[in-house]
Amino acid sequence: MVPQDTRKKGIRPRHAHVGKIVHPQDAENVLDTGVNLWFPGPQSFTGEDMLEFHVHGGNAVVSSILNALSTVPGVRMAEAGEFSRRAFDNDKMDLTTLEGVSDLINAETEAQRKLAVRQAHGELFRMYEGWRVKMVQLRAQIEAYIDFSEDENIEDGVYTQVCLEAKKLADAIRAHLNDKRQGEILRNGVALSIVGPPNSGKSTLLNKLAQRQVAIVSPIAGTTRDIVETTLDIGGYPLVVRDTAGLRKASSDVIEMEGIRRAVEAAQEADIRICMVDAQQALDCTNKPSDSFLQNAEWQALLDLPHTFVVLSKIDTLKSTDGIQAAAQAWAQSQRINNRIVPISCANMFGWESLMQLLADDIRTAWGTSIAQQMPLTKTRHRQHLQQCLEHLDSFESIGEDMVVLGAEELRGASRALGRITGKVGIEDVLDALFSEFCIGK
Amino acid sequence: MLRFSLRRRQSGFQRLASCGGSSLRPTYVAQTTGTGHRQRCVSTTSGGHGATAKSPDLLYQSTSDVIEYDVVVIGGGHAGCEACSAAARAGASAVLVTQRVDTIGEMSCNPSFGGIGKGVLVREVDAMDGLCGRMADLGGVQFRILNRSKGPAVHGPRAQVDRVIYKRNMLQTLQTYAGLDIKAGSVADILLDRSTELDEQALKRLASQDSTLATSSATVVGVRLESGEIIRARKVVITTGTFLGGEIHIGLKAFSSGRKGEAASIGLSKSLKDAGFRLGRMKTGTPPRLDGLTIDYSRMPKQLGDMPVSPFSFIHDSVPHANDQVVCYQTHTTPAVHDMIRANFDQSIHIRETIRGPRYCPSLESKVKRFSEKESHLIWLEPEGLPEHTSTVYPNGISNTMPEDIQQKFLRMIPGLENVVMTQPGYGVEYDHVDPRELKRTLETKRVTGLYMAGQINGTTGYEEAAAQGLLAGANAGLAAVHSKGECESQEAPQLTLDRSDGYLGVLIDDLITRGVNEPYRVFTARSEYRLSSRANNADLRLTRRAAALGLVRDSARLARLDTVEADMAHAQ
């Protein structure tokens, strides 16, 4: 579209040119003055020739330029994601890098951003690509063994070598998968679920969490998405509070066993649980209507889960808050509760900081990643493909040398699964590797 | 220089291009002469060594010089033999035009058929009633199934074949094949019909279309031989192998030739280029031939044929030479051989990398260069036939283009070959091929309707790959020709198209027409993701009925056998 003109005017590639932008049909009509860049392919974002106009961002300016462009034959608006699509088609980016860019755009917290940046810069790609290349080598060796060992002298021990390397690869993938879903949790947010007997203050806590965006370390505020789900930024980590028990809908708490059961089930699926108990009922009263709730087996089961905290709420209703910690501990012991106990009041914000700190520490310890660590898995899609790959590799291990062709099929399945992550699959890579490693004659 | 004035027909009848540099420019008409005469091996001029020049005074004499067939096949190699017979089976009147009748079915290189992957192709050709499987059985002097221990999915039937017996049987089969004639001659030009008069500019634009996007701008109407004769045809199949712009290299000598002692086809190459076909250039090579009587086998490991023998063909229960199979021997190169080759790299044209070389090692020079740490390379000494026919031995693994004297020297450094006499030096061949993305799945070209291409001209290597393509192209040309003579103009002609799941031929064609070629394409089992289901032992179950449904199976015994096999299988279940 543009090449002929720019070369005539001596526009240097990849140099910022400040200049007037005029309508292609009418040289008198100056649309704007802007910074323009010309990127001849293949060194451009998409790998094709690209031209960028950096203009003043007003609506009218942008529209006029787009309209002017539409008068040039062969020019059309890109579809959503089309530039990235072309970058992918021209092998400038792979699928994981693209996903990283998308995550970067959608990141809401610092930790998410850090993770996304690493992925967008190809860190995940390099790791998966490293595995894929290894896989290609293994396949090349097996195929050489099958197609050429009778005619050429393929070295002895090729098959044993392949088995060893396949096992190593499988172990590496397994280790990556056993990361307790760090990356995905970070990317999607740590799910918090609040459960407790009726009137324990769940809805109050929920509303407080939603209204007051609390950030301990990071100055970045969280966002409120909608009534059902709230994301908080706690120390840079995303916490997603879900209305698992439908608290906001009902004005009175649900009492039936079915209701409890459902709430407990949802809580089990969450990453962190807060079990709330009205402090007054726990500590002050002699008649403990909440006891029956606490004796419930499912409730006990919940308390046994990791990342479960007990919150004594409404301590502002107690006669006094002196020695509240000791009293809380004593109560916990009497109930044989081993979880951390935090007494709070949503009315006067007592204990609030402790609760937030507790949550942040817990998240950081369980799911935090440091820069030095290996890049964690971020998407379920990756996890699925890796699991498939692992299944094939495990099958391969169980197949013996006498069924080498079936083994080769498993390796093919494994490499296809891996290839789906980055989007690169193909027999030609295998043949390239084969011929560069083995001297195969005509 | 002669001039003619001739009547002009409405639709015009243009030559693709002039050939041989003549400035004659008639636009001439071919008049239909009625049915072509049935001739047996009519021989005319041309053939011989060196590039043949056109003889303008024989350009066009009279209408009796024009004969007519449904299908013309150019080139009598493995692709050509399958193509012309398949066309005949399809019900078309077919003629095979070849430079020399005595080279029909010539095996240019390795005196063997089959192998891992390739062997399945031979079976697939046989399953569709092709010839090379049966001929290989009749001429086979050692039979083995490769990869026996690795399971039936990758079994590769292979046979050493006696060249003399193979050619004799092939020639005899073709000579007595109903519906088929053989004509000796060299094709100089392909004759096209363009239905609208196109000017220079339009022609240029058509020629500049990319392979994958090319559209049809002409229809083939026949061929013109070097002798001036014209053969009118509805369909033309080009199976010229390595003869297109062929150039032979021995040492630093290069001369035009398609195979040692035979003329290259120059005019055809130019014609195709002018029509816009994208050509590439490839190189292949062949090893020296040795006098077996001068070889000391005493210390070499042996390789015997299988007993009992598994024939290639599904209609053969045994082979004639099962009991007098020849023995193959193994030896190897030595560091001294490698040193000598390294010292003489500058004497070999093939090392020049300007022509695309394959990823694998086609020549000894490339083996030595790329894998310099390997101290020795395997050599298989394969007899070229039965002892009563020949004592020539083919050393498999040492293709090269070194000068003759160097070849003789390094051969003598090989264990067992200390006193060997070289009967023919190894040489390289560079040749033009057509970008196979120019083809449709039927192997018809996109640019010219009715023109088909098969074999090494499409960028493949190997007799088996060529034969398989030839069968498909010839069958389709024949089916299309017969259809065009019939009443139903509007319907599409029945064609044989295979996809990847049908077998190795499907994989081969799919790879060629979608990916093109960067190196001579050969078939391995790794190329087929359907390897487990496309086996040598089930080619008949996969393909025979498909071919029969199109009328391509002439041998009723074949179908009868298939019925029995299928019945047995059903019974067993």
Side-chain angles (χ1 to χ4, degrees):
Chain A
M1 167 184 96
V2 186
Q4 288 89 346
D5 305 310
T6 54
R7 284 192 196 125
K8 279 188 207 147
K9 288 175 192 161
I11 294 192
R12 289 169 68 191
R14 295 178 201 92
H15 271 78
H17 292 263
V18 176
K20 291 195 198 137
I21 301 171
V22 300
H23 198 290
Q25 255 75 49
D26 175 13
E28 297 299 314
N29 184 0
V30 177
L31 300 167
D32 193 12
T33 302
V35 178
N36 310 310
L37 295 120
W38 159 237
F39 298 93
Q43 281 108 350
S44 68
F45 178 74
T46 57
E48 301 167 9
D49 291 345
M50 285 189 71
L51 188 56
E52 286 185 15
F53 296 109
H54 295 250
V55 298
H56 293 94
N59 285 338
V61 171
V62 172
S63 310
S64 72
I65 291 183
L66 288 178
N67 285 332
L69 281 173
S70 66
T71 63
V72 178
V75 176
R76 63 168 171 83
M77 287 292 284
E79 293 168 27
E82 194 170 351
F83 282 100
S84 300
R85 177 61 204 258
R86 289 187 182 207
F88 173 75
D89 285 340
N90 291 327
D91 282 337
K92 302 288 279 184
M93 298 176 94
D94 76 296
L95 285 180
T96 61
T97 318
L98 279 176
E99 285 164 344
V101 170
S102 162
D103 284 349
L104 195 56
I105 295 170
N106 294 328
E108 292 175 15
T109 70
E110 180 63 8
Q112 283 172 326
R113 184 198 67 81
K114 279 187 185 155
L115 201 61
V117 161
R118 286 170 76 184
Q119 188 170 339
H121 283 199
E123 192 173 320
L124 255 190
F125 168 68
R126 279 189 286 281
M127 185 173 73
Y128 292 140
E129 183 65 4
W131 287 345
R132 194 191 68 87
V133 164
K134 190 88 209 122
M135 182 66 77
V136 162
Q137 278 172 352
L138 291 183
R139 284 191 65 200
Q141 287 173 320
I142 280 262
E143 296 299 341
Y145 180 65
I146 290 175
D147 275 318
F148 301 115
S149 65
E150 294 241 350
D151 274 341
E152 323 278 341
N153 51 350
I154 306 294
E155 289 75 25
D156 297 324
V158 162
Y159 190 80
T160 334
Q161 179 72 9
V162 170
C163 287
L164 271 171
E165 294 294 323
K167 181 115 199 343
K168 265 199 250 173
L169 188 57
D171 289 341
I173 294 178
R174 222 185 305 270
H176 185 73
L177 282 170
N178 283 341
D179 63 349
K180 297 173 291 200
R181 293 179 54 239
Q182 259 180 358
E184 285 144 294
I185 286 178
L186 262 182
R187 195 180 157 273
N188 299 327
V190 180
L192 171 69
S193 173
I194 308 173
V195 285
N199 272 335
S200 51
K202 297 188 293 294
S203 44
T204 317
L205 176 61
L206 197 59
N207 285 324
K208 269 291 183 224
L209 284 172
Q211 286 164 20
R212 260 192 76 171
Q213 274 78 36
V214 178
I216 305 268
V217 176
S218 154
I220 300 174
T223 52
T224 305
R225 284 203 209 122
D226 56 40
I227 248 178
V228 179
E229 200 171 77
T230 305
T231 306
L232 299 187
D233 180 331
I234 298 211
Y237 297 98
L239 187 68
V240 180
V241 188
R242 295 200 177 98
D243 185 5
T244 53
L247 292 166
R248 303 201 205 209
K249 291 188 190 142
S251 54
S252 60
D253 297 318
V254 174
I255 300 175
E256 308 95 345
M257 295 308 288
E258 177 60 23
I260 294 175
R261 190 195 65 76
R262 265 192 263 126
V264 166
E265 203 173 273
Q268 276 169 340
E269 285 169 9
D271 299 312
I272 300 184
R273 285 149 285 279
I274 289 181
C275 295
M276 293 195 69
V277 182
D278 185 320
Q280 191 177 52
Q281 297 201 346
L283 300 176
D284 281 356
C285 299
T286 44
N287 176 23
K288 307 268 180 78
S290 56
D291 275 1
S292 58
F293 191 94
L294 288 172
Q295 301 314 319
N296 185 293
E298 280 154 335
W299 181 258
Q300 292 292 328
L302 265 185
L303 290 175
D304 287 336
L305 290 175
H307 306 294
T308 305
F309 305 97
V310 175
V311 167
L312 291 175
S313 62
K314 304 188 200 169
I315 59 171
D316 53 295
T317 60
L318 293 174
K319 298 195 201 73
S320 99
T321 55
D322 297 330
I324 179 67
Q325 286 293 351
Q329 289 301 326
W331 172 80
Q333 272 193 323
S334 73
Q335 299 294 323
R336 283 185 288 280
I337 293 172
N338 298 320
N339 313 68
R340 294 290 299 275
I341 306 255
V342 186
I344 67 167
S345 163
C346 292
N348 61 21
M349 301 313 289
F350 183 98
W352 191 262
E353 305 293 332
S354 310
L355 180 58
M356 291 300 111
Q357 193 67 59
L358 196 65
L359 288 174
D361 287 344
D362 193 52
I363 293 174
R364 193 179 302 117
T365 330
W367 296 289
T369 50
S370 66
I371 300 295
Q373 253 182 346
Q374 201 193 36
M375 181 87 191
L377 260 183
T378 52
K379 287 193 79 119
T380 317
R381 182 183 80 86
H382 300 176
R383 181 174 293 277
Q384 279 172 347
H385 289 314
L386 284 177
Q387 269 162 350
Q388 263 173 6
C389 176
L390 205 51
E391 274 167 30
H392 284 296
L393 283 175
D394 287 340
S395 293
F396 173 73
E397 202 181 325
S398 62
I399 292 177
E401 188 167 348
D402 52 331
M403 302 282 238
V404 63
V405 179
L406 293 179
E409 282 303 301
E410 294 298 338
L411 283 188
R412 196 161 62 83
S415 91
R416 213 176 33 221
L418 258 189
R420 286 214 179 95
I421 301 181
T422 55
K424 291 178 188 290
V425 206
I427 183 64
E428 291 301 321
D429 288 350
V430 176
L431 290 178
D432 282 342
L434 202 168
F435 292 125
S436 64
E437 188 172 335
F438 297 103
C439 186
I440 307 290
K442 202 166 83 80
Chain B
M1 189 172 91
L2 290 167
R3 273 189 224 203
F4 303 82
S5 78
L6 302 153
R7 231 175 321 135
R8 208 178 256 272
R9 197 169 70 174
Q10 244 70 0
S11 52
F13 194 119
Q14 290 172 311
R15 284 187 343 198
L16 258 177
S18 71
C19 143
S22 158
S23 55
L24 273 177
R25 204 166 295 187
T27 310
Y28 49 87
V29 174
Q31 307 205 321
T32 43
T33 54
T35 54
H37 6 270
R38 284 356 201 123
Q39 294 175 353
R40 300 265 150 136
C41 298
V42 169
S43 93
T44 49
T45 57
S46 66
H49 303 254
T52 50
K54 186 174 67 136
S55 27
D57 44 355
L58 291 178
L59 179 61
Y60 187 24
Q61 287 186 326
S62 74
T63 53
S64 63
D65 266 1
V66 174
I67 48 180
E68 191 176 343
Y69 285 91
D70 290 334
V71 177
V72 169
V73 175
I74 308 176
H78 303 290
C81 292
E82 298 297 343
C84 65
S85 53
R89 288 199 297 282
S93 62
V95 64
L96 174 64
V97 178
T98 174
Q99 280 180 162
R100 283 168 53 172
V101 174
D102 64 340
T103 59
I104 287 179
E106 183 72 76
M107 296 195 282
S108 316
C109 194
N110 199 331
S112 75
F113 262 86
I116 299 172
K118 289 171 181 260
V120 187
L121 273 178
V122 176
R123 286 261 168 101
E124 290 181 3
V125 168
D126 181 78
M128 296 191 277
D129 215 13
L131 305 178
C132 64
R134 284 191 284 130
M135 300 300 120
D137 282 341
L138 296 175
V141 295
Q142 197 213 54
F143 290 80
R144 295 184 66 227
I145 304 258
L146 304 182
N147 268 353
R148 226 183 238 288
S149 59
K150 298 203 184 85
V154 293
H155 278 177
R158 189 176 185 271
Q160 296 292 126
V161 176
D162 184 304
R163 296 182 191 280
V164 166
I165 303 180
Y166 187 88
K167 276 186 354 187
R168 186 178 67 214
N169 282 311
M170 182 60 92
L171 184 58
Q172 192 180 28
T173 306
L174 292 180
Q175 279 171 331
T176 53
Y177 216 76
L180 177 62
D181 286 344
I182 300 179
K183 186 167 182 59
S186 190
V187 172
D189 240 340
I190 306 214
L191 307 173
L192 303 185
D193 192 7
R194 292 196 198 274
S195 50
T196 51
E197 290 297 338
L198 293 164
D199 61 348
E200 275 297 309
Q201 257 220 333
L203 280 172
K204 272 211 188 96
R205 194 172 38 82
L206 285 167
S208 67
Q209 281 173 325
D210 196 45
S211 298
T212 45
L213 302 169
T215 52
S216 174
S217 55
T219 307
V220 79
V221 290
V223 300
R224 185 176 60 77
L225 305 182
E226 299 275 350
S227 63
E229 284 175 82
I230 292 185
I231 306 180
R232 277 201 54 139
R234 292 173 188 271
K235 309 291 170 191
V236 172
V237 185
I238 305 184
T239 54
T240 46
T242 59
F243 282 65
L244 217 58
E247 207 177 75
I248 287 201
H249 302 142
I250 303 183
L252 293 172
K253 288 188 282 182
F255 49 90
S256 162
S257 171
R259 181 164 56 217
K260 198 132 200 314
E262 301 180 54
S265 174
I266 309 293
L268 197 52
S269 205
K270 186 173 187 307
S271 301
L272 291 173
K273 229 182 278 187
D274 289 344
F277 284 101
R278 297 288 186 270
L279 301 184
R281 200 138 171 89
M282 279 189 179
K283 57 180 179 178
T284 184
T286 196
R289 307 295 198 268
L290 312 174
D291 180 357
L293 299 171
T294 58
I295 299 179
D296 173 17
Y297 294 110
S298 57
R299 280 186 298 269
M300 294 185 196
K302 290 191 215 197
Q303 189 192 69
L304 303 173
D306 290 344
M307 266 313 252
V309 166
S310 292
F312 279 113
S313 177
F314 288 99
I315 59 173
H316 285 170
D317 292 316
S318 65
V319 299
H321 300 286
N323 294 322
D324 43 326
Q325 292 188 63
V326 302
V327 179
C328 291
Y329 292 89
Q330 201 188 80
T331 179
H332 54 88
T333 58
T334 58
V337 170
H338 299 174
D339 288 339
M340 166 158 270
I341 290 183
R342 258 184 230 114
N344 288 290
F345 270 158
D346 56 336
Q347 305 264 17
S348 158
I349 295 188
H350 260 205
I351 287 298
R352 184 183 70 188
E353 291 300 322
T354 49
I355 305 299
R356 277 193 300 241
R359 288 172 289 191
Y360 51 87
C361 295
S363 64
L364 187 55
E365 296 98 307
S366 56
K367 287 185 187 179
V368 166
K369 189 172 185 203
R370 290 191 210 165
F371 290 88
S372 47
E373 69 283 358
K374 272 192 85 143
E375 299 216 318
S376 75
H377 294 278
L378 204 57
I379 304 175
W380 282 102
L381 296 175
E382 299 170 354
E384 294 221 328
L386 295 172
E388 52 261 38
H389 288 151
T390 177
S391 57
T392 308
V393 164
Y394 177 95
N396 196 342
I398 51 173
S399 280
N400 75 95
T401 59
M402 289 277 144
E404 289 186 47
D405 54 328
I406 308 280
Q407 291 193 45
Q408 180 69 76
K409 280 207 200 106
F410 79 67
L411 283 172
R412 294 238 167 126
M413 296 182 193
I414 293 171
L417 301 185
E418 291 82 4
N419 296 308
V420 76
V421 169
M422 180 174 77
T423 57
Q424 184 187 295
Y427 60 89
V429 183
E430 263 181 35
Y431 56 97
D432 288 332
H433 73 91
V434 172
D435 183 340
R437 287 172 297 184
E438 296 273 350
L439 305 171
K440 305 182 203 173
R441 202 165 291 270
T442 54
L443 294 184
E444 185 181 17
T445 64
K446 294 175 187 169
R447 289 183 204 268
V448 179
T449 306
L451 183 63
Y452 293 75
M453 295 196 189
Q456 217 144 340
I457 188 177
N458 290 338
T460 61
T461 179
Y463 314 143
E464 306 83 356
E465 288 84 346
Q469 291 174 66
L471 186 148
L472 192 124
N476 285 333
L479 290 169
V482 166
H483 179 83
S484 68
K485 292 196 294 195
E487 316 274 277
C488 24
E489 278 292 328
S490 51
Q491 276 175 4
E492 295 267 322
Q495 298 273 271
L496 177 64
T497 51
L498 300 174
D499 60 44
R500 300 182 75 92
S501 54
D502 289 323
Y504 284 87
L505 179 50
V507 173
L508 165 61
I509 292 183
D510 187 64
D511 281 347
L512 289 179
I513 68 175
T514 49
R515 296 223 197 108
V517 289
N518 287 323
E519 63 190 4
Y521 181 99
R522 49 186 280 217
V523 157
F524 328 112
T525 65
R527 289 203 189 269
S528 171
E529 59 274 27
Y530 296 95
R531 169 165 69 185
L532 290 176
S533 51
S534 306
R535 306 185 298 272
N537 64 10
N538 66 4
D540 53 347
L541 298 173
R542 290 184 275 123
L543 295 168
T544 301
R545 293 226 184 271
R546 288 277 295 268
L550 292 166
L552 296 170
V553 176
R554 193 173 264 190
D555 190 338
S556 54
R558 188 179 289 283
L559 288 168
R561 279 187 178 235
L562 183 61
D563 287 337
T564 318
V565 167
E566 285 177 339
D568 286 345
M569 280 174 57
H571 184 74
Q573 271 169 5

